[in-house]
């Protein structure tokens, strides 16, 4: 079976975006990081739940995402038009 938790790079490949976009999505609160405890502290590796990635994909389809930013535009500022 496929792993449920994906590292930052794996999550980027899964969504077809860069690692920086994954970090931007996490920083913006649109993608929640899984924090696993490790001997009184947390694991430093950034992990993401595959189900959350699927929900992000579903929410991004056909303009159904709240707000105006899509996954692809999250990491870059709007261009003057």
């Amino acid at each position: 079976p496929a792993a449920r938790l994906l590292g930052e790079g794996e999550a980027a490949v899964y969504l077809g975006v860069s690692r920086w976009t994954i970090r931007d999505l996490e920083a913006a609160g649109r993608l929640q990081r899984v924090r696993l405890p490790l001997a009184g502290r947390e694991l430093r590796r950034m992990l993401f739940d595959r189900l959350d990635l699927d929900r992000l994909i579903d929410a991004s389809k056909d303009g159904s995402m709240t707000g105006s930013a899509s996954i692809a535009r999250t990491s870059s500022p709007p261009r003057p038009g």
Side-chain angles (χ1 to χ4, degrees):
R4 180 166 171 185
L5 296 179
L6 302 176
E8 179 184 340
E10 297 163 314
V13 169
Y14 189 81
L15 291 180
V17 299
S18 73
R19 287 176 174 235
W20 292 108
T21 300
I22 295 296
R23 290 180 183 196
D24 289 343
L25 289 166
E26 193 268 336
R30 296 191 37 222
L31 185 58
Q32 190 172 6
R33 175 181 171 190
V34 176
R35 299 175 187 269
L36 296 176
L38 178 68
R41 55 189 174 97
E42 70 181 41
L43 184 66
R44 292 184 64 196
R45 184 172 179 216
M46 293 180 75
L47 297 172
F48 299 93
D49 189 328
R50 185 183 304 269
L51 298 176
D52 289 338
L53 298 173
D54 289 338
R55 278 191 283 274
L56 182 64
I57 292 168
D58 290 342
S60 300
K61 291 180 182 176
D62 300 323
S64 62
M65 178 178 279
T66 56
S68 59
S70 68
I71 292 175
R73 293 187 345 212
T74 301
S75 61
S76 59
R79 294 182 179 157

